[in-house]
Amino acid sequence: MAEYITCQDEKGSVNISEDVVAVVVGAAISEAEGVAGLASSAGIEFFGKKNTTRSIKVQFEGEKILLDIPITVRYGFAIADIAKKAQDAVTSAVESMIGFTPVVNIHVSGVAFDK
């Protein structure tokens, strides 16, 4: 069963599923230059395929969103720079769409070569 983060005010509450957060994260990561895809135990999950968000780990601790995102970087790009850009893109997307500042941990799990 999916976990939810709750935003409560005088009008009631809004519950946001961890699956929704993962979709927002996946979209932000897919737009980051130099990122080939999300990494998983089965290999690289290239963008445009179904279930590309399943490797993203989303945790809620109170009103904090903790994200662990395994990525694969394209060969020829500076790994630390790409990881930082991906982290910034995810932070910006989650802040603007969900309204919380997340803790974003990027895990570079591989390098992808162009064919």
Side-chain angles (χ1 to χ4, degrees):
M1 183 155 85
E3 294 283 325
Y4 291 86
I5 190 165
T6 301
C7 307
Q8 187 81 35
D9 66 13
E10 65 278 349
K11 295 178 184 176
S13 66
V14 174
N15 301 300
I16 302 169
S17 166
E18 63 186 20
D19 296 336
V20 170
V21 175
V23 169
V24 170
V25 169
I29 287 291
S30 71
E31 295 176 1
E33 182 184 11
V35 176
L38 294 166
S40 72
S41 58
I44 301 171
E45 297 176 7
F46 290 101
F47 301 118
K49 306 272 182 176
K50 289 186 176 185
N51 298 323
T52 57
T53 59
R54 68 178 164 215
S55 61
I56 298 169
K57 184 177 177 187
V58 179
Q59 291 180 288
F60 298 132
E61 286 185 5
E63 292 191 6
K64 279 176 135 178
I65 300 175
L66 307 175
L67 303 169
D68 286 291
I69 308 163
I71 65 169
T72 301
V73 174
R74 292 189 190 285
Y75 179 78
F77 286 85
I79 293 171
D81 291 344
I82 297 307
K84 178 68 174 130
K85 287 178 184 178
Q87 191 177 42
D88 292 344
V90 168
T91 300
S92 177
V94 171
E95 284 176 342
S96 68
M97 293 188 71
I98 299 185
F100 291 91
T101 301
V103 174
V104 181
N105 299 309
I106 300 290
H107 305 278
V108 179
S109 299
V111 176
F113 295 87
D114 290 331
K115 294 183 179 186

